[in-house]
Amino acid sequence: MRTLIAVLGAALAAAALLTPLPPGAAPGAAPAPAATAISSSSPAAPASPTSPASDSAFGSRLYVDPTSDARLVADALAAAGDARRAALIEQIASQPTAVWLGDWYGPALLSSVIQRHLRAAAAQGATSVFVTYAIPDRDCGGYSAGGFTPDQYLDWNRRVAAALAGSRAVVLIEPDSLAMLPSAKCAGVADTRLPLLRSAVGILAAAGLSTYLDGGNARWLSPDVQATYLKAAGVADARGFFTNVSNFDATQAERDYAGKVSSRVGWKHFVIDVSRNGNGWTGDWCNPPGAALGQNPQITESPAVKLDALLWVKHPGASDGPCYGGPAAGRWFESGAEALVVGRTGGSLGM
């Protein structure tokens, strides 16, 4: 056991040097199990001619991070001879996940991290998905508090845009940044935040990147209220919005909700985070017992629908915060990761 702990410790120390873990995003919801067909009872988008290939945001393949915490842990477990647990974590490590960028990276490291992921994605012939998470007053003082000052934030977005320019990467802009605004702890934040988000959309879109804004989730704001915030944040100049990031709502519930939001913002495209929604909402947003991995990520782009992809934005195994035995937000939570896998596959964690 001591040998295994030492090996895991070394692996995660290496991970900290390569890609410091982001804070976990805050309050939310939950969704569905394995890959099943999804119907839509939300408003039907107007018919459109076949989209040209250039209209695709995601191409044909999603990027799998070869240096993710899950990959390092799975490899360390295998090297230590713990084949059973290695197989559990492999179910996470083998799947595409988003790359989170935030104020935990200095300017030089930010550029280095982005370039490393872009090279790896190019080698895979895949599209990389990045998440920006450095808005001023991030999480409005919650477990993931932090972010830059307003002036620093726009300069930081310019650096991100310059590093990603020409890559055709996808950027999910600031989870929770809009849906959280009506909460009491975010009082007075909107006046500064909304113009910053509009500027961020413009900066990133000008670099040829597909951008998506925060669409909350089906249990949070009404479609009308969420649409109002999206319009104020510049969704007209973005490809669309994302829903359910770091949350747990069932995929069909999110699909229906997102369709209603899309109908209110000019039929914009959307993506859904299905990383941990295999058992739907179980009553808590922070490392909830009973949660399970959702279906594996997939590109769903089609001329007939506005749903572009089902993604793993939140990294399964990354803690939401110090609750239910978890470490600080964003840190690797081994027992939580294993529970997510077992929740989807059935069976027992064992010893």
Side-chain angles (χ1 to χ4, degrees), residues 179-304:
M180 188 177 280
L181 285 177
S183 66
K185 69 177 184 177
C186 291
V189 169
D191 289 346
T192 299
R193 180 167 295 179
L194 293 171
L196 286 175
L197 290 170
R198 285 197 300 272
S199 295
V201 169
I203 290 167
L204 296 165
L209 308 171
S210 295
T211 58
Y212 297 78
L213 284 162
D214 174 36
N217 64 64
R219 292 181 310 97
W220 212 336
L221 305 181
S222 71
D224 285 333
V225 173
Q226 188 66 55
T228 297
Y229 280 120
L230 281 166
K231 290 175 183 176
V235 74
D237 296 321
R239 180 169 176 90
F241 58 94
F242 53 82
T243 77
N244 209 41
V245 167
S246 298
N247 286 303
F248 304 87
D249 282 344
T251 304
Q252 188 61 58
E254 287 298 308
R255 173 79 180 266
D256 294 344
Y257 161 76
K260 293 172 183 176
V261 175
S262 177
S263 73
R264 290 158 169 78
V265 295
W267 294 107
K268 285 292 184 175
H269 293 253
F270 57 90
V271 298
I272 300 171
D273 184 359
V274 297
S275 56
R276 304 182 298 170
N277 71 352
N279 283 337
W281 174 249
T282 60
D284 202 341
W285 64 267
C286 187
N287 301 328
L293 289 181
Q295 66 193 83
N296 290 344
Q298 61 177 310
I299 297 165
T300 57
E301 288 177 319
S302 161

Side-chain angles (χ1 to χ4, degrees), residues 143 284-289 319-329 333:
Y143 286 150
D284 202 341
W285 64 267
C286 187
N287 301 328
S319 177
D320 293 311
C323 45
Y324 293 109
F333 183 18

Side-chain angles (χ1 to χ4, degrees), residues 40-106:
S40 178
S41 58
S42 55
S48 59
T50 301
S51 299
S54 61
D55 188 50
S56 170
F58 290 90
S60 60
R61 184 178 180 186
L62 295 168
Y63 167 59
V64 179
D65 182 0
T67 59
S68 69
D69 282 335
R71 167 50 55 209
L72 294 172
V73 170
D75 290 350
L77 288 166
D82 194 337
R84 185 191 65 81
R85 291 174 65 204
L88 289 176
I89 303 304
E90 183 64 31
Q91 294 189 48
I92 298 173
S94 62
Q95 296 303 313
T97 50
V99 177
W100 290 63
L101 305 174
D103 49 330
W104 51 89
Y105 291 129

